[in-house]
Every structure is written in structure tokens, then in C-alpha cells.
């Protein structure tokens, strides 16, 4: 069950990455608020080096990022930076790289669902700290005491996201039940000043599908994975792991651009 406004809500819980002050959306608290265009639309994501993905996003995300699994829950994420607090795909101007896929987790901001544990429902919340949320903003949250078309669209988007989140949980459970995940490392071999290879450096440890275990899956189960679409998502994930080199190259490009030139030193 979902709701666009909060009435007699119980304690709320939920994942609030990016959200500084999430509040249940209500006519009483937010009737005068609206959204204005801002110069830095994605600045809120600039410090996120990993962003959650849903399984249906694996293929488009694989063109831009390594898609890996992390944590006890084996959460699938897009890797956007090599260090915590660094997103290599968001510029200082708060813009996403134009050639990069923007995950739905980012696109739904400043809205998010939270769990009302008492009434067993999902309540639409909004981040009151969102930079583009203003009193009297150009695109209102409410029209004539009712959620505006903007909010209705956000509600539909969050509903779809919730369905995809549940589908993703089922996909991860399938991988876990088949024991297809293994621990992997992403390593980088820097060069010495003379051009020789220096000692390799570990930049990440994560979970990924084991190609050897995948090959050992019985033919009938492999056909089932093919028919339900899971096999295609697995291959998208595996192909995405070639993106570590791209990520390292972007990190070097950004570091080089940040270095002062001889004229500015």
C-alpha cells in the first residue's frame, strides 16, 4: 500500500542515501513548496562513489560503470568513484557526464518511499534539504489542496522503482541460492617514472558472478535463467566489469585537470 501524504503515520524507516532531511509529504507542511531550476541539479550525488541499481538497469548501466554486488545483502550498485566521497561522473558544476547512464535511484530524488511500520504501508517523502525545493517554487507540489501533476508523476516513478527493487531482491536471492557469487578484487598497476610496472594496488573488493560457477549450472537451470531474463542480466554485469579501466582513466583525467599549470603555479 502506498500513500502520497502522511496522516497519523507511525515511525518511518528506509534507505535515505542523498537525503539530508526526508519528511513525509503533506499538504499541511509543504503546501507552499515548489521546485525551481538550479544550476547544479546533481550536486546532491557528488559525494556518492556507489549508487544502488535495479536489475533491469544492468544493461544500460554497464555501458558507463562497473556493476558489482556489495554488503551482506549483495546489493547491486554502479561504481562511480574509486574513493569514498568522490563521484567521477558528477562535475563540480553538479552535472552528470553527458555520456553516462543516470540510475533511477538518482532520478527519483528528492522523492523517496519510507516504510510506515505501524500501518504497514509506504509513504512518499521528500528531502526538505533539496537545493531546488523552494517556497513558491515554479513547479508546485500541490494544486488546489491536491498533489500536483509533478508529485503524481513522482509517485508513479517511485511505485515503479519499488516494484523493480523487489524484482532485484528476487534476482539477488536467485544468484545466492545458486551460489553464483564470489569475492573479487579490482586492482590497478601504476607505472614507475621509468615506465616499468610498480606494485599492484587494490582499489576495491566486491562480489561478482563466478564465470566458472555459471558454466557449471545444469543445462535445464541455465535454460530457465535464459527464459526468465536473468541470464542476460548476469552477462550485462560480467561485461560491465571491463569498466574498471575506464573508471581509472577518468580518475586520472580528473586528477590531471586539477593540477595547476605552469602559468598558474
Amino acid at each position: 500500500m502506498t500513500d502520497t501524504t502522511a496522516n497519523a503515520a507511525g515511525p518511518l524507516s528506509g534507505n535515505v542515501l542523498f537525503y539530508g532531511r526526508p519528511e513525509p509529504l503533506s499538504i499541511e507542511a509543504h503546501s507552499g513548496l515548489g521546485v525551481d531550476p538550479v544550476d547544479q541539479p546533481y550536486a546532491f550525488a557528488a559525494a556518492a562513489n556507489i549508487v544502488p541499481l535495479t536489475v533491469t538497469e544492468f544493461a544500460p548501466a554497464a555501458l558507463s560503470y562497473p556493476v558489482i554486488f556489495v554488503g551482506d545483502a549483495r546489493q547491486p550498485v554502479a561504481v562511480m568513484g574509486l574513493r569514498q566521497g568522490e563521484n567521477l561522473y558528477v562535475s563540480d558544476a553538479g552535472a552528470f557526464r553527458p555520456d553516462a547512464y543516470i540510475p533511477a535511484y538518482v532520478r527519483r530524488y528528492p522523492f523517496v518511499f519510507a516504510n510506515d511500520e505501524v500501518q504497514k504501508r509506504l509513504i512518499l517523502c521528500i528531502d526538505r534539504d533539496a537545493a531546488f525545493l523552494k517556497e513558491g517554487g515554479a513547479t508546485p507540489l500541490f494544486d488546489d489542496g491536491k498533489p500536483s501533476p509533478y508529485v503524481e508523476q513522482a509517485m508513479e516513478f517511485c511505485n515503479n522503482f519499488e516494484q523493480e527493487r523487489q524484482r532485484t531482491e528476487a534476482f539477488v536471492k536467485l544468484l545466492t541460492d545458486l551460489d553464483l557469487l564470489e569475492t573479487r578484487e579490482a586492482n590497478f598497476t601504476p607505472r614507475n617514472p621509468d615506465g616499468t610496472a610498480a606494485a599492484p594496488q587494490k582499489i576495491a573488493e566486491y562480489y561478482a558472478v563466478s564465470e566458472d560457477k555459471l558454466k557449471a549450472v545444469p543445462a535445464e537451470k541455465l535454460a530457465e535463467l535464459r527464459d526468465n531474463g536473468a541470464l542476460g542480466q548476469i552477462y550485462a554485469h560480467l561485461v560491465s566489469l571491463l569498466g574498471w579501466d575506464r573508471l581509472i582513466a577518468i580518475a586520472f583525467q580528473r586528477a590531471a585537470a586539477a593540477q595547476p599549470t605552469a602559468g598558474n603555479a
Side-chain angles (χ1 to χ4, degrees):
M1 179 180 178
T2 58
D3 198 352
T4 53
T5 58
N7 295 303
L12 301 177
S13 63
N15 193 329
V16 290
L17 174 65
F18 302 148
Y19 297 78
R21 187 158 49 111
E23 298 177 352
L25 186 64
S26 71
I27 185 68
E28 294 80 11
H30 308 119
S31 61
L33 292 180
V35 172
D36 276 343
V38 293
D39 294 332
Q40 298 179 320
Y42 294 106
F44 64 88
N49 68 314
I50 59 173
V51 172
L53 286 174
T54 62
V55 65
T56 52
E57 296 181 282
F58 281 19
L63 299 175
S64 302
Y65 321 103
V67 175
I68 64 173
F69 300 84
V70 298
D72 293 339
R74 309 301 193 259
Q75 167 73 52
V77 299
V79 183
M80 298 187 179
L82 301 178
R83 300 178 299 185
Q84 286 191 347
E86 172 190 70
N87 189 327
L88 296 171
Y89 289 81
V90 177
S91 70
D92 293 339
F96 244 92
R97 286 177 64 103
D99 59 342
Y101 173 76
I102 303 177
Y105 196 100
V106 174
R107 286 181 278 125
R108 71 175 177 172
Y109 185 85
F111 296 95
V112 64
F113 272 145
N115 293 315
D116 181 344
E117 301 292 356
V118 173
Q119 299 192 32
K120 301 300 180 184
R121 62 177 180 171
L122 294 171
I123 290 181
L124 189 67
C125 296
I126 193 165
D127 185 8
R128 191 63 182 83
D129 283 349
F132 42 80
L133 195 61
K134 308 285 186 181
E135 285 288 342
T139 303
L141 301 184
F142 291 91
D143 286 331
D144 296 326
K146 296 180 180 180
S148 68
Y150 172 70
V151 170
E152 293 289 355
Q153 290 173 4
M155 184 70 176
E156 181 179 1
F157 189 92
C158 287
N159 269 321
N160 292 336
F161 183 89
E162 177 63 17
Q163 293 172 13
E164 293 300 326
R165 187 192 65 78
Q166 294 176 8
R167 185 176 288 115
T168 302
E169 287 184 351
F171 174 78
V172 172
K173 184 178 186 303
L174 177 63
L175 297 184
T176 304
D177 290 346
L178 291 173
D179 190 30
L180 290 180
L181 294 173
E182 65 178 2
T183 303
R184 283 203 199 178
E185 292 183 357
N187 296 292
F188 165 62
T189 303
R191 292 286 174 180
N192 293 314
D194 62 0
T196 59
Q201 299 177 7
K202 183 171 76 171
I203 57 178
E205 185 172 290
Y206 59 95
Y207 296 101
V209 170
S210 164
E211 295 184 61
D212 289 337
K213 290 182 177 181
L214 184 61
K215 292 176 183 176
V217 172
E220 63 276 10
K221 190 64 182 180
L222 205 59
E224 181 182 331
L225 295 177
R226 178 199 65 206
D227 293 342
N228 66 19
L231 191 59
Q233 309 295 2
I234 289 172
Y235 283 135
H237 150 67
L238 289 172
V239 169
S240 81
L241 299 181
L242 299 173
W244 284 110
D245 289 341
R246 182 194 308 114
L247 199 65
I248 292 168
I250 293 173
F252 272 111
Q253 290 171 0
R254 178 172 285 197
Q259 291 294 322
T261 62
N264 296 326

